[in-house]
Amino acid sequence: MTQDDDKRAAAEAAVAEVQPDMLVGLGTGSTVRFAIEALGRRVAEGLRITAVATSIDSAERAAALGIVVRDFAEVARVDLTIDGADEVDDRLWAIKGAGGAMLREKIVAAASTRMVVIADASKRVAAIGAAKLPVEVLPFAKGYVADRLAMLDAAVTVRDGVTDNGNLVLDARFAVFPDPVTLAAALDATPGVLGHGLFLDEVDATYVADDGVVTRLERVEVSG
């Protein structure tokens, strides 16, 4: 059983949630490609759905398989979004953005009634923070934001190229990862930061495959 086999198993389990007439959000990355393929097969078999995509790559892959892809700029609500993660823990906190689409991914997640993350077992961790944390930055603010990240004890590298939005990505690595809630608040309050890869409230469930066995974990809502 290969890593790709596990990615495919997790993707197919999540795609089973898709119901007729849904508007489905498609994330970005290698695991999501398997979800797009699985959804394309269901569409070819007669499933009627539409989709929005978080990247040009995902939109093109979906359209090539006969999935109707809508312009998200004209969309207010999404029924179900399926996306990957670089790390995800049992609190359903995730780090995303290795593919550079975290800003669009977070917007689509916010618009979604339900968001599920699909992953192979290597992405499941006890606590997030070992992966690099991508931060999407207005090019004008590159130096300022890099300095602010350094003040948070991050080692910062500028990723080559630009996002689909024409912005830069700064990858931040921490020797000791800060409290994720506090870090997210600091990033959100930094002028020039347009988005980041901390997903702390968005994920409703995960499908994680380990040697072909898929485990689903649902967010537990705490009342009171």
Side-chain angles (χ1 to χ4, degrees):
M1 188 70 65
T2 68
Q3 188 177 47
D4 278 352
D5 290 331
D6 278 340
K7 290 179 179 181
R8 182 179 292 106
E12 291 179 350
V15 167
E17 287 200 23
V18 178
Q19 299 298 315
D21 300 316
M22 273 187 169
L23 176 56
V24 181
L26 303 175
T28 297
S30 60
T31 309
V32 173
R33 290 171 191 163
F34 289 110
I36 293 172
E37 291 173 4
L39 190 58
R41 288 193 295 272
R42 291 193 61 191
V43 167
E45 293 166 358
L47 177 68
R48 186 177 65 187
I49 55 98
T50 55
V52 292
T54 59
S55 65
I56 294 170
D57 178 77
S58 291
E60 291 177 344
R61 290 176 183 273
L65 294 173
I67 300 169
V68 176
V69 180
R70 297 177 59 185
D71 180 358
F72 182 75
E74 306 303 323
V75 168
R77 297 296 305 167
V78 176
D79 294 306
L80 169 69
T81 287
I82 301 172
D83 209 341
D86 308 321
E87 289 183 338
V88 63
D89 65 22
D90 287 349
R91 295 167 295 188
L92 301 189
W93 287 2
I95 290 179
K96 296 175 42 55
M102 59 280 178
L103 176 55
R104 293 190 183 194
E105 288 171 340
K106 189 165 287 186
I107 294 168
V108 172
S112 300
T113 301
R114 179 171 168 83
M115 178 191 182
V116 299
V117 158
I118 53 177
D120 64 88
S122 70
K123 304 301 192 298
R124 187 173 183 177
V125 295
I128 60 171
K132 62 188 178 185
L133 176 63
V135 181
E136 186 161 343
V137 176
L138 190 72
F140 179 78
K142 177 184 71 173
Y144 170 73
V145 174
D147 181 67
R148 297 295 295 179
L149 287 168
M151 291 174 64
L152 294 169
D153 295 325
V156 180
T157 57
V158 182
R159 197 179 298 186
D160 292 337
V162 297
T163 68
D164 286 350
N165 308 311
N167 299 312
L168 299 176
V169 175
L170 305 185
D171 287 319
R173 288 193 181 274
F174 298 84
V176 177
F177 201 72
D179 171 67
V181 175
T182 302
L183 178 58
L187 293 173
D188 290 337
T190 301
V193 171
L194 302 175
H196 55 79
L198 284 171
F199 283 61
L200 307 181
D201 301 314
E202 292 82 2
V203 181
D204 295 296
T206 60
Y207 288 87
V208 178
D210 187 2
D211 199 21
V213 177
V214 179
T215 301
R216 186 181 74 188
L217 180 64
E218 291 278 344
R219 182 179 293 276
V220 176
E221 297 295 339
V222 179
S223 60

Short mmCIF file of all heavy atoms in Angstrom, two decimals, residues 4-42:
data_model
loop_
_atom_site.label_atom_id
_atom_site.label_comp_id
_atom_site.label_asym_id
_atom_site.label_seq_id
_atom_site.Cartn_x
_atom_site.Cartn_y
_atom_site.Cartn_z
N ASP A 4 0.28 7.15 -2.18
CA ASP A 4 -0.76 7.55 -3.13
C ASP A 4 -2.02 6.71 -2.97
O ASP A 4 -3.14 7.22 -3.13
CB ASP A 4 -0.24 7.44 -4.56
CG ASP A 4 0.57 8.65 -4.99
OD1 ASP A 4 0.62 9.64 -4.23
OD2 ASP A 4 1.15 8.62 -6.10
N ASP A 5 -1.87 5.43 -2.65
CA ASP A 5 -3.05 4.59 -2.40
C ASP A 5 -3.84 5.13 -1.22
O ASP A 5 -5.08 5.16 -1.24
CB ASP A 5 -2.63 3.15 -2.12
CG ASP A 5 -2.09 2.43 -3.35
OD1 ASP A 5 -2.50 2.79 -4.47
OD2 ASP A 5 -1.24 1.54 -3.18
N ASP A 6 -3.13 5.57 -0.18
CA ASP A 6 -3.83 6.13 0.98
C ASP A 6 -4.48 7.46 0.65
O ASP A 6 -5.60 7.75 1.09
CB ASP A 6 -2.86 6.29 2.15
CG ASP A 6 -2.64 4.99 2.92
OD1 ASP A 6 -3.49 4.09 2.80
OD2 ASP A 6 -1.64 4.88 3.64
N LYS A 7 -3.80 8.28 -0.13
CA LYS A 7 -4.40 9.55 -0.55
C LYS A 7 -5.69 9.28 -1.33
O LYS A 7 -6.71 9.94 -1.11
CB LYS A 7 -3.42 10.35 -1.41
CG LYS A 7 -2.24 10.91 -0.66
CD LYS A 7 -1.32 11.67 -1.61
CE LYS A 7 -0.13 12.27 -0.88
NZ LYS A 7 0.76 13.03 -1.78
N ARG A 8 -5.64 8.31 -2.20
CA ARG A 8 -6.82 7.97 -3.01
C ARG A 8 -7.95 7.45 -2.12
O ARG A 8 -9.12 7.82 -2.31
CB ARG A 8 -6.44 6.93 -4.07
CG ARG A 8 -7.60 6.56 -5.00
CD ARG A 8 -7.18 5.55 -6.03
NE ARG A 8 -6.23 6.13 -7.00
CZ ARG A 8 -4.92 5.87 -7.02
NH1 ARG A 8 -4.39 5.03 -6.13
NH2 ARG A 8 -4.15 6.41 -7.93
N ALA A 9 -7.62 6.61 -1.16
CA ALA A 9 -8.66 6.06 -0.28
C ALA A 9 -9.34 7.15 0.53
O ALA A 9 -10.57 7.17 0.68
CB ALA A 9 -8.03 5.02 0.65
N ALA A 10 -8.55 8.07 1.08
CA ALA A 10 -9.13 9.17 1.85
C ALA A 10 -10.00 10.05 0.96
O ALA A 10 -11.09 10.48 1.36
CB ALA A 10 -8.01 9.99 2.50
N ALA A 11 -9.52 10.32 -0.24
CA ALA A 11 -10.27 11.16 -1.17
C ALA A 11 -11.61 10.53 -1.54
O ALA A 11 -12.65 11.20 -1.55
CB ALA A 11 -9.43 11.42 -2.42
N GLU A 12 -11.59 9.26 -1.85
CA GLU A 12 -12.83 8.60 -2.26
C GLU A 12 -13.83 8.52 -1.11
O GLU A 12 -15.04 8.64 -1.33
CB GLU A 12 -12.51 7.22 -2.81
CG GLU A 12 -11.76 7.29 -4.16
CD GLU A 12 -11.40 5.93 -4.71
OE1 GLU A 12 -11.54 4.92 -3.97
OE2 GLU A 12 -10.96 5.87 -5.88
N ALA A 13 -13.34 8.38 0.11
CA ALA A 13 -14.25 8.37 1.27
C ALA A 13 -14.93 9.72 1.42
O ALA A 13 -16.13 9.80 1.71
CB ALA A 13 -13.47 8.01 2.53
N ALA A 14 -14.18 10.80 1.22
CA ALA A 14 -14.77 12.13 1.35
C ALA A 14 -15.74 12.43 0.21
O ALA A 14 -16.81 13.02 0.43
CB ALA A 14 -13.67 13.18 1.38
N VAL A 15 -15.38 12.03 -1.00
CA VAL A 15 -16.25 12.29 -2.15
C VAL A 15 -17.58 11.57 -2.01
O VAL A 15 -18.60 12.01 -2.57
CB VAL A 15 -15.51 11.91 -3.46
CG1 VAL A 15 -16.47 11.85 -4.65
CG2 VAL A 15 -14.39 12.90 -3.73
N ALA A 16 -17.62 10.50 -1.22
CA ALA A 16 -18.89 9.81 -0.98
C ALA A 16 -19.89 10.70 -0.27
O ALA A 16 -21.10 10.43 -0.30
CB ALA A 16 -18.65 8.53 -0.17
N GLU A 17 -19.43 11.78 0.37
CA GLU A 17 -20.34 12.72 1.03
C GLU A 17 -21.10 13.60 0.02
O GLU A 17 -22.10 14.22 0.38
CB GLU A 17 -19.58 13.65 1.98
CG GLU A 17 -19.09 13.01 3.26
CD GLU A 17 -18.79 14.06 4.33
OE1 GLU A 17 -19.35 15.18 4.25
OE2 GLU A 17 -18.01 13.75 5.25
N VAL A 18 -20.59 13.69 -1.19
CA VAL A 18 -21.18 14.61 -2.17
C VAL A 18 -22.54 14.08 -2.62
O VAL A 18 -22.68 12.92 -3.02
CB VAL A 18 -20.25 14.78 -3.39
CG1 VAL A 18 -20.91 15.68 -4.43
CG2 VAL A 18 -18.91 15.36 -2.94
N GLN A 19 -23.55 14.95 -2.54
CA GLN A 19 -24.91 14.60 -2.91
C GLN A 19 -25.34 15.38 -4.15
O GLN A 19 -24.76 16.42 -4.47
CB GLN A 19 -25.86 14.90 -1.75
CG GLN A 19 -25.55 14.13 -0.49
CD GLN A 19 -25.67 12.63 -0.66
OE1 GLN A 19 -26.64 12.15 -1.26
NE2 GLN A 19 -24.69 11.89 -0.17
N PRO A 20 -26.36 14.89 -4.87
CA PRO A 20 -26.82 15.60 -6.07
C PRO A 20 -27.18 17.06 -5.78
O PRO A 20 -27.70 17.39 -4.71
CB PRO A 20 -28.07 14.80 -6.48
CG PRO A 20 -27.83 13.42 -5.94
CD PRO A 20 -27.10 13.63 -4.65
N ASP A 21 -26.85 17.91 -6.74
CA ASP A 21 -27.16 19.34 -6.73
C ASP A 21 -26.33 20.14 -5.73
O ASP A 21 -26.61 21.32 -5.50
CB ASP A 21 -28.66 19.59 -6.49
CG ASP A 21 -29.51 18.96 -7.58
OD1 ASP A 21 -29.15 19.08 -8.76
OD2 ASP A 21 -30.53 18.32 -7.24
N MET A 22 -25.32 19.54 -5.15
CA MET A 22 -24.44 20.28 -4.27
C MET A 22 -23.53 21.22 -5.06
O MET A 22 -23.20 20.97 -6.22
CB MET A 22 -23.54 19.34 -3.45
CG MET A 22 -24.13 18.83 -2.16
SD MET A 22 -22.88 17.90 -1.20
CE MET A 22 -23.74 17.73 0.35
N LEU A 23 -23.12 22.30 -4.41
CA LEU A 23 -22.01 23.12 -4.88
C LEU A 23 -20.80 22.72 -4.03
O LEU A 23 -20.79 22.90 -2.81
CB LEU A 23 -22.32 24.61 -4.71
CG LEU A 23 -21.20 25.59 -5.07
CD1 LEU A 23 -20.71 25.38 -6.50
CD2 LEU A 23 -21.66 27.03 -4.89
N VAL A 24 -19.80 22.17 -4.68
CA VAL A 24 -18.67 21.55 -4.00
C VAL A 24 -17.42 22.42 -4.16
O VAL A 24 -17.07 22.83 -5.28
CB VAL A 24 -18.39 20.14 -4.57
CG1 VAL A 24 -17.22 19.49 -3.83
CG2 VAL A 24 -19.64 19.28 -4.47
N GLY A 25 -16.76 22.69 -3.06
CA GLY A 25 -15.49 23.41 -3.09
C GLY A 25 -14.35 22.42 -3.25
O GLY A 25 -14.28 21.41 -2.54
N LEU A 26 -13.47 22.72 -4.18
CA LEU A 26 -12.32 21.85 -4.45
C LEU A 26 -11.05 22.54 -4.00
O LEU A 26 -10.73 23.64 -4.45
CB LEU A 26 -12.23 21.54 -5.96
CG LEU A 26 -13.48 20.89 -6.57
CD1 LEU A 26 -13.30 20.77 -8.08
CD2 LEU A 26 -13.73 19.52 -5.94
N GLY A 27 -10.34 21.90 -3.08
CA GLY A 27 -9.08 22.45 -2.61
C GLY A 27 -7.97 22.28 -3.62
O GLY A 27 -8.21 22.09 -4.82
N THR A 28 -6.75 22.32 -3.13
CA THR A 28 -5.58 22.30 -4.00
C THR A 28 -4.54 21.34 -3.42
O THR A 28 -4.41 21.23 -2.20
CB THR A 28 -4.97 23.71 -4.11
OG1 THR A 28 -5.93 24.57 -4.72
CG2 THR A 28 -3.69 23.72 -4.94
N GLY A 29 -3.82 20.64 -4.29
CA GLY A 29 -2.74 19.78 -3.83
C GLY A 29 -2.86 18.36 -4.33
O GLY A 29 -3.85 17.98 -4.98
N SER A 30 -1.85 17.56 -4.01
CA SER A 30 -1.75 16.21 -4.58
C SER A 30 -2.87 15.30 -4.11
O SER A 30 -3.37 14.47 -4.89
CB SER A 30 -0.39 15.59 -4.22
OG SER A 30 -0.23 15.50 -2.81
N THR A 31 -3.31 15.43 -2.85
CA THR A 31 -4.39 14.57 -2.37
C THR A 31 -5.73 14.97 -2.98
O THR A 31 -6.55 14.12 -3.33
CB THR A 31 -4.46 14.61 -0.83
OG1 THR A 31 -3.16 14.36 -0.30
CG2 THR A 31 -5.42 13.57 -0.30
N VAL A 32 -5.94 16.27 -3.14
CA VAL A 32 -7.18 16.75 -3.73
C VAL A 32 -7.32 16.30 -5.18
O VAL A 32 -8.43 16.10 -5.68
CB VAL A 32 -7.28 18.28 -3.60
CG1 VAL A 32 -8.49 18.82 -4.37
CG2 VAL A 32 -7.38 18.68 -2.14
N ARG A 33 -6.20 16.12 -5.86
CA ARG A 33 -6.29 15.63 -7.25
C ARG A 33 -7.01 14.31 -7.32
O ARG A 33 -7.76 14.04 -8.25
CB ARG A 33 -4.88 15.53 -7.85
CG ARG A 33 -4.23 16.89 -8.09
CD ARG A 33 -2.77 16.75 -8.47
NE ARG A 33 -2.11 18.05 -8.46
CZ ARG A 33 -0.80 18.22 -8.43
NH1 ARG A 33 0.00 17.16 -8.41
NH2 ARG A 33 -0.28 19.44 -8.42
N PHE A 34 -6.79 13.44 -6.32
CA PHE A 34 -7.50 12.17 -6.29
C PHE A 34 -8.99 12.40 -6.05
O PHE A 34 -9.84 11.68 -6.59
CB PHE A 34 -6.92 11.26 -5.21
CG PHE A 34 -5.55 10.73 -5.53
CD1 PHE A 34 -4.45 11.18 -4.82
CD2 PHE A 34 -5.37 9.81 -6.54
CE1 PHE A 34 -3.18 10.70 -5.11
CE2 PHE A 34 -4.11 9.32 -6.84
CZ PHE A 34 -3.00 9.77 -6.13
N ALA A 35 -9.34 13.40 -5.23
CA ALA A 35 -10.75 13.72 -5.00
C ALA A 35 -11.40 14.24 -6.28
O ALA A 35 -12.54 13.88 -6.60
CB ALA A 35 -10.88 14.75 -3.88
N ILE A 36 -10.69 15.07 -7.02
CA ILE A 36 -11.22 15.58 -8.28
C ILE A 36 -11.45 14.44 -9.26
O ILE A 36 -12.49 14.38 -9.94
CB ILE A 36 -10.28 16.65 -8.86
CG1 ILE A 36 -10.27 17.89 -7.96
CG2 ILE A 36 -10.72 17.04 -10.28
CD1 ILE A 36 -9.22 18.92 -8.33
N GLU A 37 -10.51 13.50 -9.31
CA GLU A 37 -10.68 12.34 -10.19
C GLU A 37 -11.89 11.52 -9.78
O GLU A 37 -12.69 11.08 -10.63
CB GLU A 37 -9.42 11.48 -10.17
CG GLU A 37 -8.21 12.12 -10.83
CD GLU A 37 -6.95 11.31 -10.62
OE1 GLU A 37 -7.04 10.21 -10.02
OE2 GLU A 37 -5.88 11.77 -11.05
N ALA A 38 -12.06 11.29 -8.48
CA ALA A 38 -13.20 10.50 -8.00
C ALA A 38 -14.51 11.22 -8.28
O ALA A 38 -15.51 10.60 -8.67
CB ALA A 38 -13.04 10.23 -6.51
N LEU A 39 -14.52 12.52 -8.09
CA LEU A 39 -15.73 13.29 -8.36
C LEU A 39 -16.02 13.30 -9.85
O LEU A 39 -17.19 13.20 -10.27
CB LEU A 39 -15.56 14.72 -7.84
CG LEU A 39 -16.80 15.61 -7.83
CD1 LEU A 39 -17.90 14.98 -7.00
CD2 LEU A 39 -16.45 16.99 -7.30
N GLY A 40 -14.98 13.38 -10.66
CA GLY A 40 -15.17 13.32 -12.12
C GLY A 40 -15.81 12.02 -12.56
O GLY A 40 -16.67 12.01 -13.45
N ARG A 41 -15.41 10.92 -11.92
CA ARG A 41 -16.03 9.63 -12.27
C ARG A 41 -17.51 9.61 -11.90
O ARG A 41 -18.34 9.10 -12.66
CB ARG A 41 -15.29 8.49 -11.55
CG ARG A 41 -13.91 8.21 -12.11
CD ARG A 41 -13.36 6.89 -11.59
NE ARG A 41 -13.14 6.90 -10.15
CZ ARG A 41 -12.01 7.30 -9.57
NH1 ARG A 41 -11.01 7.74 -10.32
NH2 ARG A 41 -11.88 7.26 -8.27
N ARG A 42 -17.85 10.18 -10.74
CA ARG A 42 -19.26 10.21 -10.34
C ARG A 42 -20.07 11.10 -11.27
O ARG A 42 -21.23 10.78 -11.60
CB ARG A 42 -19.38 10.69 -8.90
CG ARG A 42 -18.85 9.69 -7.87
CD ARG A 42 -19.27 10.07 -6.46
NE ARG A 42 -20.72 10.07 -6.31
CZ ARG A 42 -21.37 10.56 -5.25
NH1 ARG A 42 -20.68 11.09 -4.25
NH2 ARG A 42 -22.69 10.53 -5.19
#
